[in-house]
Amino acid sequence: MPSPQYDGESWLYVRDLFDKFTTANLLINSARDGKNLSFWELAMGLKACYNLSAPLAFFLSIGGFVLLRKVTNVSLHEIGRHGRIEHDASLVHRDTPKGQKYAPINVVDSLVNSLLIDSKTGDEEGEGAQAGDRRTLMDASDVARARVRREKDSPKLDGLHAEIARGEMAIILGVWETKAGKNIGVPVEWMREWIGHERLPMDWRPTHVQGLLDVVKRAKSIRAAMDAQRALEGKEKAL
């Protein structure tokens, strides 16, 4: 499927709309202040913002309604209800305190920094702390290190929410995939802007349609890398 073409002015307009309302990786239409949104509006918002395929956008939207146990329209703040779509062991948010209905919304700078450090291992050619954010790319193995680290420090995730946690990062790895020499991944500076400041990277433009099957494949890669990371840590601990 050919990628849609965006002129500078129209894309900046889309960016302005979606930067206003960012939560749980669902960016949606700001025309109604994030209230009383239908599954169609959620899907169209995701499709327009991230250039997702229609099957992936509707899978996320309808799946979100199911997890929220909603048959009528939703408001944006409902996505943050703990234990529905939202989960503990977030990469950049604190776990939900016991008894609280909604998750904390403030981004924790130390968690953002830890996430980015997980990408600056120097394992890939030309990367490492000295390379800077622009030249360092985050890939599935980097996400796996971060997820293992956070899940050790948080209440155990059930199978569904562990899959959601992997899936949300699998989407971004696909949407923003970039090549730098022999390396492939998401520029760390983009990840800092998106996950740390909750806005779209300023110099990103859609280049391809992100499909559902590709996300499933990437989520499996993250899971395999997490299993390998845990096995490695287990061996090191046994020494």
Side-chain angles (χ1 to χ4, degrees):
M1 180 181 296
S3 298
Q5 299 298 312
Y6 297 88
D7 61 67
E9 183 177 351
S10 63
W11 177 240
L12 288 174
Y13 174 71
V14 171
R15 294 176 58 88
D16 181 62
L17 286 179
F18 289 99
D19 279 351
K20 285 183 172 62
F21 292 97
T22 310
T23 187
N25 302 332
L26 297 175
L27 303 184
I28 62 174
N29 190 314
S30 67
R32 285 164 39 198
D33 297 327
K35 298 178 181 179
N36 198 31
L37 297 156
S38 69
F39 78 88
W40 179 272
E41 288 170 314
L42 283 173
M44 290 301 98
L46 287 164
K47 190 171 184 293
C49 185
Y50 287 130
N51 209 24
L52 305 186
S53 68
L56 176 54
F58 279 102
F59 173 80
L60 294 173
S61 177
I62 295 173
F65 268 67
V66 171
L67 290 172
L68 291 172
R69 305 171 192 172
K70 299 285 290 188
V71 294
T72 57
N73 292 359
V74 302
S75 295
L76 184 62
H77 80 276
E78 294 180 82
I79 297 173
R81 184 167 179 175
H82 182 59
R84 301 292 174 86
I85 298 172
E86 188 279 332
H87 54 82
D88 284 328
S90 164
L91 293 179
V92 297
H93 296 95
R94 298 196 188 281
D95 296 332
T96 303
K98 188 175 181 179
Q100 293 294 312
K101 188 175 182 179
Y102 291 94
I105 62 173
N106 293 329
V107 173
V108 181
D109 290 340
S110 61
L111 291 179
V112 174
N113 291 334
S114 294
L115 170 63
L116 302 184
I117 288 171
D118 282 325
S119 301
K120 299 181 180 182
T121 60
D123 292 342
E124 294 84 8
E125 180 180 334
E127 292 192 357
Q130 75 283 354
D133 286 358
R134 178 174 289 275
R135 289 176 51 197
T136 301
L137 302 181
M138 178 180 291
D139 58 19
S141 62
D142 300 324
V143 172
R145 275 191 293 273
R147 287 244 45 88
V148 169
R149 171 177 51 77
R150 284 295 290 134
E151 290 182 22
K152 285 191 299 185
D153 297 335
S154 301
K156 183 176 176 60
L157 295 178
D158 58 37
L160 173 61
H161 288 93
E163 193 65 45
I164 290 173
R166 292 188 292 267
E168 60 195 17
M169 291 303 294
I171 292 172
I172 291 304
L173 289 181
V175 169
W176 292 342
E177 184 173 83
T178 301
K179 293 183 179 180
K182 296 180 180 180
N183 303 329
I184 300 176
V186 175
V188 166
E189 65 175 343
W190 288 4
M191 190 62 66
R192 182 190 298 277
E193 196 167 353
W194 178 69
I195 209 165
H197 301 291
E198 299 189 315
R199 61 181 179 239
L200 293 174
M202 288 302 298
D203 56 349
W204 172 70
R205 298 292 184 274
T207 59
H208 64 280
V209 175
Q210 181 60 39
L212 176 59
L213 294 181
D214 182 72
V215 171
V216 172
K217 181 179 178 181
R218 291 175 188 276
K220 288 182 178 178
S221 296
I222 293 173
R223 181 172 185 170
M226 290 177 68
D227 290 341
Q229 178 68 22
R230 289 185 175 117
L232 176 62
E233 291 181 3
K235 290 181 179 178
E236 292 176 346
K237 187 175 181 180
L239 296 177

